[in-house]
Every structure is written in C-alpha cells, then in structure tokens.
C-alpha cells in the first residue's frame, strides 16, 4: 500500500511560516526573498517581500503579522531559510519587510489553537521534588 503525503489542501500549496513554524496555504503567507543592494557589497543584503510570489531566487514564507516577524528574528530564521551566508555577505536588513508589514500588524494572527489534552491532572514523572 502506498501512502501519499498530503501536501495540498483545498486552497493551494502548503508552506511553513519561518516565524511560528505553523503550516498554512501560500495564500495566507507572505513570500520573502533575499536581495543585494546595487553595489553587491557586504552589508547591503536585505529581505524583500514578494507578495506576487514570482521573484527569482530561494524564498521563505511568513505570516504577515508582527508576532511571526518577531519570532523569526529571535530564531534567526531568515538567514537559515534563505540560505544566506551572513559571514560572507553581512547581515540581512529587515527594514523593507518591517515597512511592508506595518499596515498589516493591526490584525490579530489567525493561527490554529494548540490541541487540548484529555486529562487536566498534572503529569507526575516519579520525581520526589514538588
């Protein structure tokens, strides 16, 4: 018997947000790409929003919320997801991304609620400490 992994929902391809790590359709996420400035020197690389999803290069996806942006920054997810070598090219500038997300940050994130556990009793692991 062959099992197929469900990679698509009814609303298009599914990607993972680099901030919260939740899977969502590409319609719910903002695609991001790394770009270099006009001089191509170290320190001139930045993250550019790609709302149309058609810019060339490796892309990463993010929920367009301040919470997911903060999580991605804290986890240093942009350089890893975009395979950007910060030692060779300098850090990625996120100012363009922040300006793009500024109008969108007033809406609360619409992430699914975490699953509830069946038992409300505390889990005991046999430890003698309380």
């Amino acid at each position: 018997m062959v099992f197929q992994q469900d990679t698509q929902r009814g609303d298009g391809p599914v990607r993972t947000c680099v901030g919260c790590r939740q899977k969502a359709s590409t319609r719910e996420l903002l695609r991001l790409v790394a770009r270099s400035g006009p001089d191509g020197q170290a320190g001139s690389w930045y993250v550019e929003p790609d709302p149309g999803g058609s810019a060339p290069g490796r892309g990463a996806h993010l929920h367009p919320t301040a919470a997911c942006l903060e999580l991605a920054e804290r986890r240093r997810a942009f350089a890893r997801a975009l395979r950007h070598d910060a030692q060779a090219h300098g850090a990625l500038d996120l100012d363009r991304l922040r300006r793009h997300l500024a109008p969108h940050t007033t809406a609360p994130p619409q992430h699914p609620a975490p699953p509830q556990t069946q038992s409300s009793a505390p889990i005991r692991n046999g430890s003698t400490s309380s």
Side-chain angles (χ1 to χ4, degrees), residues 3-129:
F3 292 101
Q4 290 182 328
Q5 184 177 4
D6 184 70
T7 57
Q8 290 192 359
R9 296 180 188 165
D11 52 351
V14 175
R15 300 290 183 261
T16 302
C17 172
V18 296
C20 66
R21 305 294 298 155
Q22 295 286 324
K23 292 186 179 195
S25 73
T26 53
R27 293 178 188 174
E28 300 171 38
L29 300 170
L30 175 64
R31 184 173 187 262
L32 312 167
V33 292
R35 294 279 169 250
S36 65
D39 56 359
Q41 299 296 322
S44 65
W45 285 80
Y46 57 93
V47 174
E48 181 176 55
D50 179 23
S54 61
R58 183 170 183 84
H61 293 81
L62 179 78
H63 283 107
T65 63
C68 284
L69 174 61
E70 289 173 22
L71 281 170
E73 283 185 86
R74 191 176 332 144
R75 296 172 60 228
R76 299 181 184 140
F78 293 114
R80 186 172 39 253
L82 296 169
R83 295 189 181 170
H84 176 78
D85 186 1
Q87 289 183 342
H89 301 294
L92 286 168
D93 182 18
L94 301 176
D95 287 340
R96 291 177 192 225
L97 177 59
R98 285 188 192 103
R99 283 194 305 266
H100 180 84
L101 292 179
H104 302 284
T105 56
T106 57
Q110 297 180 357
H111 300 298
Q116 298 288 331
T117 58
Q118 296 293 332
S119 173
S120 61
I123 299 173
R124 307 264 179 191
N125 63 1
S127 175
T128 57
S129 62

